[in-house]
């Protein structure tokens, strides 16, 4: 797969998973799923994700867990929480913990699975 294609796919997956996190969170708290509500909750985490991409230059090796996935995950959470705080959105400790765990599973988990699949495919091709 081409480098640009892999980078775009990785970005789409990261953004989609942040949006899933927001949607599930809003639904679990019986908040509106209207676009305006989703956008107001999602933007801090999307900005944090973008910061992570820039800080660790994810486009160089987009699917690596370390440091690309970890940097994206931590920036999404840390920058996201800072932006939520300055925009008067909730940053309760329980929410920070849930965000850290869920975005960690999402943003790191898919990369781990993709890496395992990639290694198995290469191993299977090498034995043929």
């Amino acid at each position: 797969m081409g480098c640009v294609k892999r980078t775009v796919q990785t970005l789409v997956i990261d953004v989609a998973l942040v949006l899933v996190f927001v949607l599930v969170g809003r639904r679990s708290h019986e908040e509106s799923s209207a676009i305006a509500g989703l956008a107001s909750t999602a933007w801090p985490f999307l900005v944090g994700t973008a910061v992570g991409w820039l800080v660790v230059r994810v486009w160089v090796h987009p699917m690596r867990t370390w440091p690309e996935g970890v940097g994206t995950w931590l920036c999404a959470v840390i920058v996201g929480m800072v932006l939520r705080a300055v925009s008067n959105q909730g940053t309760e400790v329980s929410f920070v913990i849930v965000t850290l765990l869920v975005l960690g599973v999402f943003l790191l988990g898919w990369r781990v699975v993709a890496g395992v699949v990639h290694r198995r495919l290469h191993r299977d091709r090498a034995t043929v």
Side-chain angles (χ1 to χ4, degrees), residues 2 6 20 55 63 76 80 86 89 95 104 110 116-117 122 125:
R6 187 178 2 256
V20 167
V55 167
M63 295 178 67
V86 299
Q89 297 186 46
F95 179 60
W110 83 261
V116 168
V117 169
H122 271 358
R125 286 183 190 153

Side-chain angles (χ1 to χ4, degrees), residues 1-3 5-11 13-14 53 57-70 72 107-119:
M1 179 180 344
C3 186
K5 183 177 179 183
R6 187 178 2 256
T7 299
V8 170
Q9 287 176 337
T10 299
L11 180 60
I13 292 168
D14 283 351
W53 267 66
R57 299 170 19 119
V58 173
W59 59 89
V60 176
H61 297 287
M63 295 178 67
R64 284 199 319 203
T65 303
W66 175 260
E68 288 79 357
V70 172
T72 300
L107 298 176
L108 299 177
W110 83 261
R111 284 176 168 89
V112 169
V113 170
V116 168
V117 169
H118 179 75
R119 283 188 295 282

Side-chain angles (χ1 to χ4, degrees), residues 19 22-23 26 32-43:
L19 293 175
V22 169
L23 183 60
R26 290 185 63 82
S32 168
S33 294
I35 297 296
L38 290 172
S40 71
T41 304
W43 77 265

Side-chain angles (χ1 to χ4, degrees), residues 29-51:
H29 292 286
E30 299 179 1
E31 295 176 346
S32 168
S33 294
I35 297 296
L38 290 172
S40 71
T41 304
W43 77 265
F45 300 111
L46 292 172
V47 170
T49 300
V51 168

